[in-house]
Amino acid sequence: MKPRPQQTGQAAEAYALAYLEGHGLRLRARNFRIRRGEIDLIMQDGEEVVFVEVRARSAGEFGDGVDSITRAKRRRLLAAAGAWLQRQRDEPPARFDVIALQPGHQRVTWLKDAFRADD
C-alpha cells in the first residue's frame, strides 16, 4: 500500500527535524499555521530564528527544493513567519531555509538562507 502524501510529509518533517537537531538547531515550533500559510518547522540556530520548509522529492522530480517553491508559496511562508514573529516579545534575526529530501531520505540537501523576504 502506497503512503498518502500527508504521511509522507509527516515522515519527511520528522526526518528533517532530527537532521537539524543533529546539526545543533533547537525546535521552537512545528507546523505553525495561520489562515494564509504554514511553516513546517521553526528552529533556533544560535541567535537566529530559522523558518524551515521541508520538501520531499519523489523519484520523478528534478531540481532542488528551492525550485519547487513558487512565488505564491513564498508569500504564504512570509505571511506565516510574520505572524509568528509578531507573537514573540523580541525581533530576532531570521532566515528561511529549505530541507529537500530525496526518495527514501537517501540524500538531504539543506539550503541555508534559501530566500529572503525581499526576493
Side-chain angles (χ1 to χ4, degrees):
M1 188 161 114
K2 187 176 180 179
R4 293 187 317 230
Q6 183 179 8
Q7 291 172 325
T8 302
Q10 290 171 348
E13 287 176 16
Y15 190 90
L17 174 59
Y19 180 86
L20 292 169
E21 287 177 331
H23 283 83
L25 280 72
R26 183 176 51 84
L27 180 66
R28 298 278 306 263
R30 190 171 184 171
N31 299 116
F32 176 77
R33 293 179 185 169
I34 61 169
R35 187 174 53 86
R36 296 177 318 214
E38 174 191 0
I39 298 175
D40 296 329
L41 301 170
I42 301 173
M43 308 293 292
Q44 189 74 39
D45 186 10
E47 297 295 316
E48 205 166 31
V49 172
V50 183
F51 299 101
V52 181
E53 175 68 10
V54 178
R55 307 303 277 189
R57 310 296 283 171
S58 71
E61 293 179 287
F62 297 99
D64 62 26
V66 158
D67 293 339
S68 68
I69 300 175
T70 64
R71 191 174 305 198
K73 177 65 175 178
R74 286 183 188 192
R75 279 195 302 268
R76 290 191 299 272
L77 289 167
L78 291 167
W84 188 85
L85 286 169
Q86 284 180 343
R87 296 176 185 185
Q88 308 309 303
R89 296 189 189 276
D90 58 355
E91 293 189 27
R95 71 176 195 250
F96 291 88
D97 289 5
V98 174
I99 294 282
L101 303 171
Q102 298 299 323
H105 310 314
Q106 295 175 3
R107 186 169 139 223
V108 177
T109 303
W110 179 10
L111 302 164
K112 293 182 182 181
D113 207 11
F115 61 90
R116 296 186 174 269
D118 54 3
D119 284 351

